[in-house]
Amino acid sequence: RRVHGDVFLKYQDRLVIGEVTGAKFPKRGKFEELSQVPFAEPSYEQGFASPYYSESHRIFRRELRAFLAKEVMPNAVQWELAGTLPSAELFAKLGKAGFWACRLAAHGPAQKLFPNLFGIKSEEFDSFHELICHDELIRLGCPGLIDGLGSGLVIGLPAVINYGTKAMLDSVIKPCVLGDKRICLAISEPAAGSDVAN
């Protein structure tokens, strides 16, 4: 069950204080289009200058958004409501497209597996491209699905990349990034007193 939904239902009489009526909202566009709603998109996508984002970031966002609109969004709400894990076929499709590589730290071994990542050369991929990837994933609006789409990879694979042996790196990174294997970080229950730092 969705915890936040239960909490809202329990306290909604106290939390809902009114309704906006008579307001004219911009027409909602397609998922892959930039929103016309004020402040719905990052400021650099609204024409403001940014010292951090360049044309490669705009291209990356546009290509990634189109990919997610085609491959994930049509079934996202259905998967969310059903509480089902995304299929192995979807994981592999996302992996082969380079999506998993984009969810990991820039300039690591994951991006080197691809010559291009959603319209840009992989050597151009930086931390802001990674941020865009996470941002675009959140736009799906399905928190359970979003967690199912690689939270284990985002938490589990960096530990292998940073602390694993060469044999582990060779046998784990490529299959996980290509979507052929899944990974997670397993830690004992919180009440058991795990000392993760040591």
Side-chain angles (χ1 to χ4, degrees), residues 136-154:
E136 289 301 309
L137 186 59
I138 289 167
R139 286 186 73 250
L140 293 171
C142 299
L145 175 63
I146 292 166
D147 281 347
L149 285 175
S151 289
L153 177 112
V154 172

Side-chain angles (χ1 to χ4, degrees), residues 60 102-106 125-134:
F60 180 78
C102 296
R103 294 208 58 204
L104 298 166
F125 188 87
D126 62 23
S127 296
F128 293 103
H129 291 99
E130 179 192 355
L131 176 76
I132 290 168
C133 184
H134 296 299

Side-chain angles (χ1 to χ4, degrees), residues 4-18:
H4 296 93
D6 292 345
V7 170
F8 178 75
L9 289 174
K10 182 177 178 182
Y11 297 105
Q12 73 179 357
D13 293 337
R14 200 168 35 162
L15 296 174
V16 176
I17 58 173

Side-chain angles (χ1 to χ4, degrees), residues 45-114:
E45 290 285 11
Q46 298 175 15
F48 293 94
S50 170
Y52 307 107
Y53 293 95
S54 67
E55 187 59 25
S56 79
H57 297 101
R58 287 182 185 86
I59 291 168
F60 180 78
R61 182 181 297 277
R62 184 177 61 239
E63 295 292 322
L64 178 59
R65 187 175 285 188
F67 176 80
L68 291 173
K70 179 182 176 200
E71 301 298 341
V72 181
M73 191 60 198
N75 298 305
V77 174
Q78 176 187 347
W79 292 329
E80 175 77 10
L81 294 175
T84 57
L85 188 65
S87 70
E89 293 78 23
L90 178 62
F91 262 79
K93 185 178 273 191
L94 294 169
K96 305 305 182 269
F99 179 74
W100 302 129
C102 296
R103 294 208 58 204
L104 298 166
H107 310 296
Q111 292 85 29
K112 293 176 183 164
L113 295 172
F114 300 90

